[in-house]
Amino acid sequence: MLLYFTEYLILRKSLHVKDVKPPFEYRNVTIKTDENPADKYNILPELGRGSFGTVFLCKEKASDLELAVKIVTYKKKKEKTMMELEIDILSSLNHPAIISIYDAFDYGNKLYCFMELVQGGELFERVIDEDFVLTERACACFIRQIVEAIDYMHSKRIIHLDMKPENVLCLSKQGNRIKIIDFGFARRYDPHKQLQVMFGTAEFSAPEVVAFEEIGPWTDMWSIGVICYVLLSGLSPFVGADDFETMTNVSFAKYSFDYAPFEEISSTAKDFIEKLLIKEPTKRMKAKNALKHEWLTQLDCISESSHKDITLSLTKTKLKRYVILRRWRKAALSVMFINKLNKLSNSHLLNSC
Ligand code: AMP
């Protein structure tokens, strides 16, 4: 009994989202144009690649502070403008679940965005770890932080527009704090102006994106619904054999909970997803209301039903497969990209012969 109680406390403790002291105070960053970042920072090994640019580990020379830096080499004005917008948006955000910006430079046709270093890896990589106890409550704990960050962004009239598992990192390998990254597609939202976009990741894109209709804060809420569905089941609700099939599935907005992993999931969690995966944007749950939804509010209640503490072993097995498949797809895409580059440089060589 004592053992059970201790374990229960440990489980509860692990769900507690501790406040972590930020590595630096909030900074309102403007892009420096007449300084070489190499004078102040040592750029270290690569951490990852995104839609635009590459992210490296780095260290500030004066303080030894470890940071991450996103470097974008721009050739066209549009590429420069997009990164400038990302820096501007990051600079106006100050929230514990959103990556903090530290410094920015425009030097030698490259834009440098220095930000807080996050060392826990992608959320989905963490939850499939052997040591991680995946329960519905743990999922709700992560989703609540995501919704809190999105609610804050939306209150500042900023929409992320690329919410997907890869853009949710864990602050550390032990704690439960998450950080939303990659504001490369983020936009300022003016309710009086119509905004349409043609980008994002098909699997997590909302029907209005696929139909090239008006987008807004509701567009992020759809993506959270998809992330939540995948996190709780290891299955992707709209994914098809290719992007075209996926987009067709998204446009129909038809999905089901009739799969084995959902047998262990509470009706409250399913209701949460159902209120997000609604084709009609105006009927979709807003971030503020999502935070008031029973699935997220019950998280604080100790005496609450124990079935939400059941280990989701089938979900974990499916999630592992899902993560591996995504890694393969990412690797295949970079091979295609390298082949394309090789072809381009070969043709350049031929042309210059
Ligand atoms: P992004 O272009 O922002 O999507 O970043 C590309 C990849 O770099 C991500 O998928 C992460 O693996 C890594 N990354 C981005 N930002 C950070 C950060 N602040 N700390 C650690 N790794 C990061």
Side-chain angles (χ1 to χ4, degrees), residues 72-326:
V72 173
T73 309
Y74 59 84
K75 289 193 187 80
K76 295 182 197 131
K77 177 130 185 23
K78 201 177 156 206
E79 292 162 341
K80 188 179 174 201
T81 315
M82 280 189 81
M83 185 65 184
E84 282 170 343
L85 180 63
E86 180 172 355
I87 291 170
D88 175 53
I89 285 179
L90 274 178
S91 186
S92 58
L93 297 171
N94 179 19
H95 188 275
I98 297 174
I99 199 77
S100 306
I101 187 166
Y102 188 73
D103 210 350
F105 296 81
D106 181 355
Y107 188 81
N109 276 355
K110 283 182 183 154
L111 272 161
Y112 297 77
C113 174
F114 290 85
M115 42 188 174
E116 171 185 12
L117 175 68
V118 184
Q119 288 173 305
E122 290 176 14
L123 170 65
F124 276 20
E125 297 278 355
R126 170 142 160 73
V127 300
I128 61 167
D129 195 280
E130 290 307 327
D131 298 335
F132 190 85
V133 186
L134 183 66
T135 62
E136 195 180 305
R137 289 168 67 75
C139 295
C141 171
F142 290 125
I143 296 292
R144 183 161 78 176
Q145 291 177 72
I146 295 174
V147 180
E148 278 167 356
I150 291 288
D151 177 45
Y152 167 80
M153 259 183 247
H154 291 176
S155 74
K156 298 220 144 216
R157 296 228 169 125
I158 288 166
I159 40 181
H160 187 280
L161 297 179
D162 197 21
M163 284 304 296
K164 57 182 177 183
E166 289 96 318
N167 288 338
V168 183
L169 300 187
C170 289
L171 191 57
S172 68
K173 294 251 183 261
Q174 290 81 34
N176 288 323
R177 267 251 163 257
I178 59 107
K179 290 272 173 185
I180 296 179
I181 60 158
D182 197 358
F183 285 71
F185 289 135
R187 291 284 177 276
R188 289 192 187 279
Y189 167 69
D190 179 348
H192 305 295
K193 283 188 192 153
Q194 190 164 329
L195 190 61
Q196 290 148 306
V197 289
M198 264 270 263
F199 50 61
T201 309
E203 206 180 328
F204 297 90
S205 289
E208 60 272 18
V209 174
V210 170
F212 199 52
E213 284 167 0
E214 188 180 355
I215 54 139
W218 50 85
T219 309
D220 286 335
M221 298 315 290
W222 172 279
S223 308
I224 293 175
V226 182
I227 294 174
C228 193
Y229 184 110
V230 181
L231 187 59
L232 286 171
S233 66
L235 306 168
S236 191
F238 305 107
V239 76
D242 52 36
D243 273 357
F244 182 75
E245 200 179 303
T246 304
M247 289 197 294
T248 311
N249 295 341
V250 170
S251 64
F252 286 120
K254 289 243 170 358
Y255 65 95
S256 152
F257 292 127
D258 290 339
Y259 302 104
F262 279 109
E263 285 167 16
E264 290 179 317
I265 303 300
S266 70
S267 52
T268 329
K270 289 176 194 161
D271 182 72
F272 182 81
I273 296 173
E274 273 167 350
K275 290 194 160 76
L276 294 171
L277 297 184
I278 295 176
K279 184 169 176 169
E280 171 57 48
T282 56
K283 294 192 180 138
R284 216 172 284 156
M285 185 160 60
K286 293 185 173 72
K288 271 231 171 331
N289 297 335
L291 287 173
K292 289 185 203 140
H293 188 281
E294 206 187 340
W295 191 53
L296 297 189
T297 54
Q298 274 184 358
L299 201 60
D300 294 323
C301 179
I302 277 187
S303 61
E304 192 243 336
S305 60
S306 58
H307 83 276
K308 286 186 187 131
D309 280 340
I310 293 171
T311 307
L312 304 175
S313 31
L314 183 56
T315 295
K316 197 159 176 171
T317 310
K318 301 242 177 240
L319 260 178
K320 275 184 193 163
R321 241 181 268 166
Y322 176 85
V323 169
I324 290 167
L325 219 78
R326 281 188 79 84

